[in-house]
């Protein structure tokens, strides 16, 4: 919906109170700005006559993206407490993402200042989407690493090996593919644009998937993965790390890498 839809402006004024109640430092948006879109989640009940019960909603804002597209930013996202932890947030997020995929003018979906709980929700759903994309997984890891019978992208376990993968992730088969490591950057960028995922988010997802497949016994690939992840971490934190002496910078980079891997392990355990 948009503010141009009859009656929606008044409806939005009633429902936006939940932003102040359930989003820390949340605030009302400016109705005079053009470019706002909304996705509202309701529960339909039939007790004689159909009624709709409000569950939550999200606000989206369109920014100009050179040269002639827009970048859609997810600005606010709220699910009312009685409906939380029932999968409604994931359904709302997926509805938004697949809506973005259908919009030719939208180049990518970004998120404004996500809370930790929303970051987890986003990561889980993005990971499941990539795991279910059989073509993406085949190109990334080779035909032996995915199977349609395991969700179109689940890792097949290799029974003849018992060694654990880095940071405690269960080991899967690692065959030749564009994921490397290191990942083929041109291939990854093409898929990122096709899937309309923001750059940093897509890079993190790629790292998680590589980690899921990585065999700790393969020293060369384990090192390549470590260098790939550290390069992204360094670029993202360049202004802070560049101020440190070399020894301290390397130490902080390693500490951050280990922390990132621990978080990846936690997230991967949620989607397998």
């Amino acid at each position: 919906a948009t503010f141009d839809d009859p009656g929606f402006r008044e409806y939005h004024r009633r429902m936006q109170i939940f932003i102040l109640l359930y989003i820390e430092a949340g605030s009302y948006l400016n109705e005079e700005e053009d470019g706002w879109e909304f996705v509202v989640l309701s529960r339909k009940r039939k007790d004689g006559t159909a009624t709709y019960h409000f569950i939550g909603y999200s606000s989206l804002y369109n920014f100009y993206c050179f040269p002639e597209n827009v970048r859609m930013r997810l600005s606010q996202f709220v699910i009312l407490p009685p409906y939380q932890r029932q999968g409604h947030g994931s359904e709302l997020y997926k509805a938004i993402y697949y809506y973005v995929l259908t919009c030719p003018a939208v180049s990518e979906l970004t998120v404004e200042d996500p809370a930790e709980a929303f970051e987890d929700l986003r990561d889980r759903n993005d990971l499941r989407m990539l795991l279910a994309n059989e073509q993406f997984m085949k190109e990334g890891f080779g035909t032996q690493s995915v199977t349609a019978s395991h969700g179109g992208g689940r890792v097949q376990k290799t029974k003849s090996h018992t060694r654990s993968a880095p940071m405690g992730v269960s080991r899967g088969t690692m065959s030749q593919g564009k994921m490397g490591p290191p990942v083929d950057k041109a291939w990854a960028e093409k898929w990122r644009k096709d899937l309309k995922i923001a750059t940093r988010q897509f890079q993190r997802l790629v790292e998680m998937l590589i980690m899921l497949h990585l065999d700790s016994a393969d020293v060369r690939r384990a090192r390549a993965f470590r260098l790939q992840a550290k390069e992204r971490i360094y670029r993202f934190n360049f202004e802070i790390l560049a101020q440190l002496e070399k020894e301290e910078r390397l130490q902080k980079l390693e500490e951050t890498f280990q922390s990132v891997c621990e978080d990846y392990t936690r997230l991967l355990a949620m989607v397998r």
Side-chain angles (χ1 to χ4, degrees):
T2 69
F3 287 137
D4 293 331
D5 292 312
F8 185 77
R9 188 181 297 268
E10 291 73 20
Y11 183 75
H12 175 263
R13 288 170 181 169
R14 294 198 297 271
M15 70 181 184
Q16 69 177 345
I17 184 64
F18 296 119
I19 298 299
L20 302 184
L21 294 176
Y22 300 121
I23 296 182
E24 186 176 354
S27 60
Y28 291 158
L29 54 81
N30 184 356
E31 292 184 357
E32 302 307 315
E33 291 181 337
D34 295 328
W36 286 107
E37 296 185 45
F38 304 88
V39 182
V40 181
L41 182 64
S42 300
R43 179 180 180 184
K44 183 178 181 180
R45 292 181 177 177
K46 291 185 178 180
D47 299 321
T49 57
T51 58
Y52 293 86
H53 296 252
F54 179 82
I55 291 178
Y57 82 103
S58 180
S59 60
L60 312 169
Y61 191 78
N62 294 302
F63 285 92
Y64 171 71
C65 181
F66 182 84
E68 55 185 12
N69 285 357
V70 296
R71 180 180 291 109
M72 185 169 285
R73 184 182 71 185
L74 194 156
S75 179
Q76 300 167 322
F77 189 99
V78 63
I79 300 293
L80 300 190
Y83 298 102
Q84 292 177 5
R85 302 187 183 281
Q86 299 175 37
H88 297 301
S90 289
E91 292 303 316
L92 179 56
Y93 175 77
K94 287 187 290 185
I96 294 168
Y97 174 71
Y98 288 117
Y99 166 64
V100 167
L101 288 182
T102 66
C103 298
V106 178
S107 62
E108 66 182 29
L109 175 66
T110 64
V111 179
E112 176 186 2
D113 268 339
E116 289 185 9
F118 182 83
E119 281 188 319
D120 279 0
L121 181 147
R122 180 192 188 192
D123 288 342
R124 292 196 307 270
N125 284 283
D126 286 351
L127 273 172
R128 290 185 180 119
M129 179 271 295
L130 291 178
L131 284 166
N133 190 321
E134 190 170 347
Q135 186 62 34
F136 174 80
M137 294 297 291
K138 282 183 177 180
E139 291 181 16
F141 296 104
T143 56
Q144 295 179 352
S145 67
V146 296
T147 171
S149 63
H150 283 69
R154 292 293 187 185
V155 178
Q156 289 188 308
K157 303 301 180 183
T158 301
K159 297 180 180 178
S160 59
H161 295 79
T162 58
R163 289 188 292 266
S164 61
M167 285 65 71
V169 178
S170 298
R171 194 184 70 81
T173 59
M174 176 67 94
S175 56
Q176 295 297 325
K178 297 293 187 179
M179 284 284 193
V183 67
D184 184 315
K185 292 183 178 180
W187 172 85
E189 180 63 10
K190 177 184 179 300
W191 270 102
R192 185 196 71 79
K193 289 181 178 179
D194 290 344
L195 295 170
K196 302 187 178 183
I197 299 175
T199 298
R200 178 173 177 267
Q201 175 68 359
F202 190 74
Q203 290 174 343
R204 293 177 62 253
L205 294 168
V206 164
E207 290 169 9
M208 291 183 217
L209 292 174
I210 292 175
M211 188 173 171
L212 183 62
H213 287 75
L214 197 61
D215 181 0
S216 59
D218 192 330
V219 177
R220 182 182 65 83
R221 281 181 168 164
R223 181 176 184 274
F225 165 71
R226 184 171 66 254
L227 292 176
Q228 176 181 320
K230 283 186 175 182
E231 179 185 3
R232 178 191 63 78
I233 294 169
Y234 180 79
R235 290 179 182 276
F236 184 69
N237 299 280
F238 174 77
E239 292 185 2
I240 296 175
L241 292 173
Q243 299 176 28
L244 306 177
E245 295 295 331
K246 182 178 180 180
E247 184 176 345
E248 186 180 4
R249 181 166 65 246
L250 293 175
Q251 179 183 351
K252 292 296 183 183
L253 195 57
E254 176 64 21
E255 291 174 357
T256 305
F257 170 71
Q258 293 298 334
S259 177
V260 165
C261 288
E262 290 175 6
D263 197 47
Y264 287 173
T265 302
R266 179 182 63 84
L267 289 165
L268 288 168
M270 296 180 182
V271 300
R272 293 192 301 175

